[in-house]
């Protein structure tokens, strides 16, 4: 006889007092009376890992997010204890663990200032429906604390007061505050009292973050399964926090080919071949630079991946070669859904090898996407990833396609609740077998990873180029991304700006939006304003659904065409500047775009700014996001800044009005900057660079700039065949000195610099290059100077201009 049929609901459970402690090199273990174990690993002086188990046993330590190249090691590790807590100290962080309840407090080791402290700390709730635990963490919000990051959330930069969900979701025509959408990047940066730290919650289950939404002084994060496993990283500079995060989760495995940083044109869909050629020929006829043309799903035979519709594209190899001869690299879309068709070789091979995802009770996961009913490869199986990579041989090596675009890889499924796989689908998870509850957020990442390895193999010796819609933390190692199916509205122009800034702050800088909007149709003014923003995004592509009209640069009349051409030409002139910023991102983890708070966290005015951003290190940009605008108010950060258009100088630290009619936008250059420029090209490689143009913006005092160059493709740069120029500028009332320090084995095609001296407070009287006076009559025209690229010191001497 059953006497008790009631399930015991225990509610939130908490660690009790610590009863034992042990140390194993860089890892410490604390065990509580009720069997909770806290594992603290000192990764670096500035990075601690916190991992909890409620069963005294830790699961296999496996993560798709953490790179094997992550730095380890520290200079100091001291462990002490008193009656109340254990104290772990490195040169950067002091961590105190309460003996009473395992709550954690973290301090700056230099000044003992409180950085972050637990409120309730770790707690959990038994999941009777799914088994395991719902794991939770709550921390106190310090006075005046702000929060940033978390990937592609379409909200303002500062996350305080909001709650979010991380569950990768196909979110067509999402709007402001729509949540969740395409990416799950559970990393945020906290900032208070001019000190910044980061927390990365490495848990792939559906997770949530609350930044003082439910309780005004508490921030919390939790997940519907898995471990409470998070990394704490300390700056105190925000840029260093992001750099530490990308060191942990990885940076791009190689630089992109330079052409990938050019302008790209896409539509759903350009077909047949004659339409593709019409588009590309029009770019060349109108002299609008463009490097890539995209083929959406209609290039396939019945939407079957790795096939061609021979009616639309009878000879794809010939077409791709002819496009390349005209400067266009062809990018093709590949989705995860494989059409159920016994005569389709890709389907048959995957079926024979048992590579498709299955439901819990054995049937294959069947879902409807573009081809109709499909099965889906399990990209969490290393054998499947290797097989998938091999499928790209014909597309890349034989036909000559230069890049692949992964779409619908959330994974998206049509006509079902939730628009994705059911929770009971099973995955290999690299030998850590699990349900879709755990694998969902990394499915698109692993597809992009497999695609990347295929392109790297079959593009060799050229660099691979991959784009993905869905992503989890660490996906930046393999691919670029875009912000998904946006809408042709002014609000979405503003959203695109915020999303790109947030993605860069979340470690994923190779990002852009569908310029002009994917859904619906922009007018010419909106399209022009979006191009103006888009040329400053690392990934620069127009894309539209095609259902609402044309969206090419010439689709809105001659006036808009001229404006669009003008700004795309600016993009191509700034390619060496952008490439240098990308090199810093790939080597040091420095975001290519910086929100003003990331640029100057000490200035409280920047903490809630959304529109303005720093492009690279020296250029300030601010899009116009309202119709009929002749300008706007914007905040100019501390320092002096030159107007990009007329070289006038303004003092920062203020909000100012900036004129910007439709053919302009607010752009400023930091004083002291040296900005490299290439000549305008219709595509990367069209011209051999005969001279590097340097815009030098005078500053009273010192400033440093860099220019990085290599062969623009291939892997020789990893063997030292690159050219890195470090410039030190020193400006005085009557002189300007520029020193150059060059490293690397790469020999650039040009022999001279054309130096445009901007803002000099004096008239040039004498110029010395490496202590040798040069003839001004042959080398100087106005304030433009031509000298050898090999100089080590340029000394410009003048007579101070007397202003009357």
């Amino acid at each position: 006889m059953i006497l008790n049929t009631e399930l015991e609901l225990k509610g939130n459970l908490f660690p009790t007092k610590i009863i034992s402690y042990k140390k194993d090199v860089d890892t410490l273990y604390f065990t509580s009376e009720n069997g909770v174990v806290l594992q603290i690993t000192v990764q670096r002086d500035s990075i601690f890992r916190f991992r909890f188990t409620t069963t005294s046993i830790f699961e296999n330590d496996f993560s798709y997010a953490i790179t094997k190249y992550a730095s380890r090691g520290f200079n100091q590790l001291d462990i002490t204890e008193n009656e109340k807590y254990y104290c772990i100290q490195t040169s950067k962080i002091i961590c105190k663990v309460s003996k009473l309840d395992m709550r954690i407090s973290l301090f700056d080791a230099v000044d003992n200032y409180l950085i972050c402290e637990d409120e309730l700390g770790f707690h959990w709730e038994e999941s009777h429906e799914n088994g395991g635990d719902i794991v939770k963490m709550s921390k106190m919000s310090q006075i005046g604390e702000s929060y940033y990051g978390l990937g592609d959330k379409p909200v303002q930069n500062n996350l305080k007061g909001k709650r979010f969900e991380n569950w990768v979701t196909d979110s067509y025509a999402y709007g402001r505050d729509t949540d969740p959408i395409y990416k799950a990047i559970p990393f945020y940066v906290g900032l208070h009292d001019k000190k910044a730290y980061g927390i990365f919650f490495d848990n792939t289950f559906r997770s949530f973050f609350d930044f003082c939404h439910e309780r005004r002084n508490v921030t919390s994060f939790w997940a519907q399964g898995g471990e409470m496993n998070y990394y704490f990283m300390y700056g105190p500079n925000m840029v260093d926090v992001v750099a530490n995060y990308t060191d942990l989760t990885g940076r791009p495995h190689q630089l992109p080919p330079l052409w990938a940083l050019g302008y790209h044109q896409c539509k759903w869909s350009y077909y047949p071949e004659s339409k593709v050629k019409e588009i590309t020929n029009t770019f060349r006829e109108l002299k609008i630079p463009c490097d890539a043309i995209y083929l959406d799903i209609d290039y396939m035979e019945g939407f079957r991946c790795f096939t061609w519709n021979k009616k639309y594209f009878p000879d794809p190899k010939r077409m791709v070669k002819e496009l390349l001869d005209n400067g266009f690299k062809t990018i093709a879309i590949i989705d995860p859904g494989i059409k159920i068709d016994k005569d389709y070789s890709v389907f048959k091979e995957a079926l024979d090898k048992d590579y498709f995802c299955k439901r819990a009770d054995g049937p294959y996961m069947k879902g409807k996407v573009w081809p109709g009913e499909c099965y889906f490869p399990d990209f969490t199986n290393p054998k499947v990833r290797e097989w998938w990579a091999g499928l790209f041989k014909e597309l890349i090596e034989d036909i000559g396609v230069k890049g692949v675009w992964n779409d619908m890889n959330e994974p998206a499924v049509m006509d079902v609740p939730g628009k994705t796989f059911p929770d009971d689908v099973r995955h290999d998870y690299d030998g850590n077998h699990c349900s879709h509850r755990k694998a969902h957020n990394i499915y698109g990442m692993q597809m992009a990873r497999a695609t990347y390895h295929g392109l790297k193999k079959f593009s060799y010796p050229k660099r691979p180029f991959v784009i993905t819609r869905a992503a989890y933390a660490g996906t930046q190692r393999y691919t670029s991304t875009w912000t998904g199916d946006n809408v042709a509205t002014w609000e979405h122009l503003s959203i695109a700006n915020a999303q790109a800034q947030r993605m860069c702050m979340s470690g994923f800088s190779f990002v852009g939006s569908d310029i002009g909007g994917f859904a619906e149709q922009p007018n010419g003014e909106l399209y022009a304003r979006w191009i103006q923003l888009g040329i400053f995004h690392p990934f620069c592509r127009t894309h539209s659904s095609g259902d609402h009209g044309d969206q090419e640069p010439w689709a809105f009349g001659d006036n808009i065409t001229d404006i669009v051409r003008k700004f795309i030409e600016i993009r191509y002139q700034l390619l060496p500047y952008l490439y240098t910023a990308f090199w810093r991102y790939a080597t040091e983890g420095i975001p290519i775009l910086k929100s003003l708070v990331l640029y100057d966290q000490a200035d409280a005015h920047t903490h809630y700014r959304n529109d303005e951003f720093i492009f690279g290190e020296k250029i300030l940009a601010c899009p116009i996001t309202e119709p009929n605008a002749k300008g706007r108010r914007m905040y100019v950060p501390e320092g002096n800044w030159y107007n990009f258009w007329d070289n006038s100088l303004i003092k920062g630290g203020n909000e100012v009005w900036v004129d910007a009619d439709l053919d302009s936008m607010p752009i400023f250059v930091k004083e002291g900057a040296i900005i490299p420029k290439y000549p305008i090209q219709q595509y990367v490689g069209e011209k051999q660079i005969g001279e590097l143009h340097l815009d030098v913006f005078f500053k009273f005092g010192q400033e440093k700039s860099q220019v990085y160059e290599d062969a623009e493709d291939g892997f020789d740069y990893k063997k030292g065949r690159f050219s890195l120029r470090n410039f030190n500028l020193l400006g005085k009332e009557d002189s300007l000195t520029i020193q150059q320090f060059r490293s690397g084995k790469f020999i650039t095609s040009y022999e001279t610099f054309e130096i445009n001296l901007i803002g000099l407070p004096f008239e040039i009287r004498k110029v010395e290059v490496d202590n040798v006076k040069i003839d001004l009559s042959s080398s100087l025209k106005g304030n433009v100077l031509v000298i050898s690229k090999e100089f080590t010191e340029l000394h410009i001497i003048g007579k101070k201009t007397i202003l009357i």
Side-chain angles (χ1 to χ4, degrees):
M1 181 178 178
I2 299 175
L3 298 177
N4 186 356
T5 60
E6 294 295 321
L7 193 64
E8 184 181 1
L9 300 176
K10 300 175 183 177
N12 282 333
L13 301 170
F14 297 84
T16 51
K17 70 178 182 180
I18 295 173
I19 57 171
S20 69
Y21 149 75
K22 70 173 183 178
K23 176 179 178 290
D24 182 10
V25 189
D26 59 358
T27 304
L28 293 75
Y29 297 87
F30 303 88
T31 303
S32 72
E33 272 186 337
N34 60 344
V36 175
V37 180
L38 162 61
Q39 179 192 89
I40 301 179
T41 303
V42 181
Q43 301 272 129
R44 295 167 58 188
D45 285 301
S46 56
I47 302 178
F48 281 29
R49 180 188 183 189
F50 299 92
R51 192 179 178 204
F52 294 83
T53 177
T54 62
T55 63
S56 299
I57 300 171
F58 286 100
E59 299 174 2
N60 182 39
D61 189 11
F62 176 80
S63 171
Y64 284 119
I66 306 301
T67 176
K68 64 182 180 181
Y69 304 110
S71 302
R72 296 292 294 266
F74 41 85
N75 297 317
Q76 174 186 346
L77 180 59
D78 299 321
I79 302 160
T80 57
E81 64 174 298
N82 59 28
E83 292 182 359
K84 293 184 177 180
Y85 53 78
Y86 292 91
C87 182
I88 308 157
Q89 182 166 353
T90 68
S91 62
K92 295 287 185 69
I93 299 172
I94 298 171
C95 173
K96 296 180 180 180
V97 181
S98 169
K99 290 184 173 180
L100 180 64
D101 51 18
M102 283 189 176
R103 284 193 289 183
I104 294 161
S105 301
L106 295 140
F107 302 81
D108 185 318
V110 175
D111 59 13
N112 211 35
Y113 195 89
L114 178 64
I115 311 163
C116 181
E117 63 178 326
D118 286 355
E119 186 241 2
L120 296 176
F122 170 63
H123 50 295
W124 75 98
E125 183 181 347
E126 293 181 356
S127 176
H128 295 289
E129 180 180 356
N130 296 303
D133 295 329
I134 300 168
V135 292
K136 307 176 182 181
M137 174 62 65
S138 63
K139 295 184 175 291
M140 296 299 298
S141 179
Q142 305 301 314
I143 295 173
E145 186 161 7
S146 296
Y147 302 95
Y148 307 90
L150 223 62
D152 63 344
K153 305 301 184 186
V155 299
Q156 63 187 22
N157 280 337
N158 198 324
L159 303 175
K160 192 166 188 177
K162 296 184 178 293
R163 175 183 286 197
F164 300 97
E165 178 179 350
N166 280 322
W167 186 251
V168 175
T169 302
D170 177 11
S171 189
Y172 174 80
Y174 62 91
R176 192 179 294 278
D177 297 325
T178 298
D179 188 56
I181 56 172
Y182 298 97
K183 297 166 182 67
I185 302 181
F187 163 72
Y188 71 87
V189 179
L191 171 66
H192 64 91
D193 298 298
K194 302 180 183 180
K195 295 178 183 287
Y197 67 90
I199 286 180
F200 171 46
F201 181 28
D202 189 10
N203 183 307
T204 62
F205 284 80
R206 190 188 297 262
S207 63
F208 301 84
F209 285 75
D210 184 302
F211 299 102
C212 307
H213 175 79
E214 182 176 336
R215 291 182 288 164
R216 63 189 295 267
N217 295 319
V218 177
T219 185
S220 57
F221 49 93
W222 64 100
Q224 293 184 344
E227 287 185 342
M228 175 50 62
N229 171 33
Y230 72 94
Y231 294 80
F232 176 89
M233 50 211 76
Y234 183 47
N237 295 320
M238 292 181 75
V239 168
D240 293 334
V241 173
V242 178
N244 282 337
Y245 166 75
T246 57
D247 180 83
L248 191 67
T249 60
R251 295 159 187 167
H253 283 169
Q254 62 276 309
L255 293 172
L258 185 62
W259 64 260
L261 301 182
Y263 173 74
H264 298 195
Q265 184 69 36
C266 184
K267 181 180 182 176
W268 178 31
S269 287
Y270 288 132
Y271 70 93
E273 178 182 332
S274 59
K275 182 64 176 179
V276 176
K277 293 286 187 66
E278 177 190 332
I279 296 296
T280 55
N281 289 337
T282 305
F283 270 101
R284 297 298 179 245
E285 290 166 7
L286 296 177
K287 296 195 177 301
I288 301 172
C290 184
D291 259 283
I293 189 74
Y294 283 63
L295 302 179
D296 210 319
I297 55 176
D298 294 287
Y299 83 89
M300 304 175 192
E301 181 62 46
F303 306 130
R304 294 168 179 83
C305 293
F306 304 101
T307 68
W308 289 82
N309 184 317
K310 290 306 177 70
K311 177 183 175 182
Y312 297 151
F313 301 98
D315 189 347
K317 183 172 184 177
R318 172 191 51 75
M319 181 193 73
V320 168
K321 171 66 164 56
E322 290 171 356
L323 290 170
L324 187 61
D325 290 343
N326 200 18
F328 286 92
K329 296 80 185 172
T330 302
I331 314 295
I333 196 170
I334 293 287
D335 291 349
I338 302 299
K339 184 176 178 61
I340 299 172
D341 176 359
K342 293 291 181 64
D343 296 324
Y344 172 31
S345 62
V346 174
F347 172 80
K348 190 174 184 305
E349 185 178 6
L351 191 69
D352 291 345
K353 293 182 176 180
D354 199 23
Y355 284 168
F356 290 123
C357 296
K358 292 180 179 179
R359 305 292 295 269
D361 295 327
Y364 288 107
M365 165 59 211
K366 182 190 291 186
K368 178 186 173 185
V369 280
W370 299 118
E373 290 189 334
C374 292
Y375 290 163
F376 300 82
D378 181 8
F379 295 108
T380 72
N381 184 332
K383 292 182 179 179
V384 175
R385 291 197 298 271
E386 184 177 3
W387 165 77
W388 185 262
L391 294 176
F392 288 96
K393 182 180 189 302
E394 180 182 5
L395 195 67
I396 304 301
E397 189 174 86
D398 298 344
I399 294 176
V401 167
K402 297 300 181 185
V404 169
W405 161 31
N406 285 162
D407 197 13
M408 303 291 286
N409 58 341
E410 288 69 33
V413 179
M414 299 172 179
D415 301 334
V416 296
K419 298 166 63 175
T420 192
F421 293 1
D423 285 349
D424 76 308
V425 170
R426 294 306 189 243
H427 295 273
D428 181 83
Y429 213 87
D430 278 69
N432 302 278
H433 301 281
C434 68
S435 76
H436 196 66
R437 294 176 62 242
K438 183 175 183 178
H440 173 83
N441 279 338
I442 55 84
Y443 184 87
M445 174 195 194
Q446 294 308 299
M447 180 187 181
R449 176 186 182 186
T451 301
Y452 161 81
H453 283 295
L455 266 69
K456 186 174 182 182
K457 180 177 182 180
F458 296 116
S459 296
Y460 192 83
K462 303 300 184 182
R463 302 172 197 166
F465 176 62
V466 181
I467 316 163
T468 185
R469 189 168 74 176
Y472 181 72
T475 310
Q476 68 270 6
R477 302 195 293 266
Y478 314 114
T479 176
S480 62
T481 191
W482 87 105
T483 57
D485 293 344
N486 58 7
V487 186
T489 65
W490 289 95
E491 180 180 54
H492 261 273
L493 172 58
S494 175
I495 290 171
N497 183 22
Q499 285 182 295
Q501 291 181 47
R502 188 186 318 288
M503 284 293 291
C504 289
M505 193 179 290
S506 303
F508 206 146
S509 276
F510 203 175
V511 61
S513 67
D514 283 348
I515 292 173
F518 178 75
E520 302 180 12
Q521 177 74 0
N523 60 22
E525 181 189 12
L526 175 58
Y527 183 74
R529 290 302 193 190
W530 212 315
I531 280 282
Q532 291 170 2
L533 171 65
I535 69 157
F536 291 107
H537 285 170
F539 178 52
C540 181
R541 180 185 73 163
T542 290
H543 182 39
S544 66
S545 69
D547 292 339
H548 310 282
D550 294 333
Q551 205 158 299
E552 291 76 41
W554 54 85
F556 306 97
D558 291 346
N559 181 47
I560 299 300
T561 301
D562 291 343
I563 294 169
V564 170
R565 179 192 298 107
K566 170 183 172 179
F567 277 87
I568 294 177
E569 286 178 348
I570 291 172
R571 167 82 171 201
Y572 276 74
Q573 287 177 296
L574 290 175
L575 278 178
Y577 176 84
L578 173 57
Y579 199 52
T580 301
F582 208 110
W583 168 77
R584 287 204 71 197
Y585 164 57
T587 55
E588 302 174 37
I590 307 299
I592 296 175
L593 305 183
K594 299 173 186 64
S595 304
L596 288 196
V597 66
L598 192 62
Y599 177 75
D600 187 2
Q601 69 194 57
D603 182 355
H605 291 98
T606 68
H607 293 192
Y608 284 88
R609 304 302 303 197
N610 295 298
D611 293 351
E612 307 90 342
F613 60 90
I614 304 295
F615 172 62
E617 303 296 322
K618 312 291 187 183
I619 295 178
L620 168 67
C622 185
I624 302 293
T625 57
E626 294 180 347
N628 305 313
K630 300 293 185 181
R632 64 163 296 156
R633 294 195 68 80
M634 64 174 286
Y635 187 75
V636 179
E638 293 287 341
N640 295 321
W641 299 80
Y642 287 86
N643 189 306
F644 178 84
W645 304 107
D646 63 12
N647 294 331
S648 60
L649 193 64
I650 66 168
K651 182 174 176 57
N654 298 289
E655 188 172 83
V656 299
W657 172 266
V658 182
D659 290 325
D661 212 338
L662 185 55
D663 64 347
S664 181
M665 75 172 284
I667 306 171
F668 294 87
V669 182
K670 185 179 181 183
E671 66 171 349
I674 298 178
I675 307 293
K677 288 182 177 178
Y678 284 162
I680 295 167
Q681 304 177 77
Q682 296 309 300
Y683 56 91
V684 168
E686 182 201 22
K687 297 178 180 178
Q688 183 172 354
I689 308 302
E691 192 167 64
L692 184 65
H693 183 94
L694 299 176
D695 280 343
V696 176
F697 295 85
F698 182 86
K699 175 184 180 178
F700 287 106
Q702 292 183 305
E703 190 71 28
K704 297 187 177 191
S705 299
Q706 292 179 307
V707 180
Y708 173 88
E709 295 172 289
D710 58 26
E712 301 177 356
D713 206 342
F715 294 88
D716 270 2
Y717 76 96
K718 292 194 171 187
K719 303 171 186 175
R721 293 187 180 91
F722 61 85
S723 169
L724 176 62
R725 302 179 189 278
N726 286 282
F727 294 109
N728 290 343
L729 177 146
L730 174 62
K732 298 180 180 179
E733 287 187 349
D734 57 359
S735 70
L736 175 66
T737 302
I738 300 173
Q739 295 176 316
Q740 179 185 198
F741 303 91
R742 184 183 171 276
S743 59
K745 302 174 185 176
F746 180 71
I747 306 301
T748 60
S749 60
Y750 56 85
E751 295 296 331
T752 56
F753 293 137
E754 182 185 64
I755 300 176
N756 183 23
L757 301 164
I758 298 167
L760 291 182
F762 53 81
E763 295 178 7
I764 298 175
R765 292 287 186 250
K766 183 171 71 171
V767 175
E768 293 179 347
V769 177
D770 298 331
N771 295 318
V772 176
K773 184 179 177 182
I774 66 171
D775 181 7
L776 297 185
S777 63
S778 60
S779 300
L780 184 69
K781 293 183 180 179
N783 275 0
V784 177
L785 183 67
V786 177
I787 64 171
S788 168
K789 67 177 182 181
E790 302 298 342
F791 84 90
T792 55
E793 183 171 284
L794 170 64
H795 193 43
I796 299 169
I797 304 159
K799 180 179 181 182
K800 184 180 177 183
T801 302
I802 300 174
L803 299 177
I804 300 176

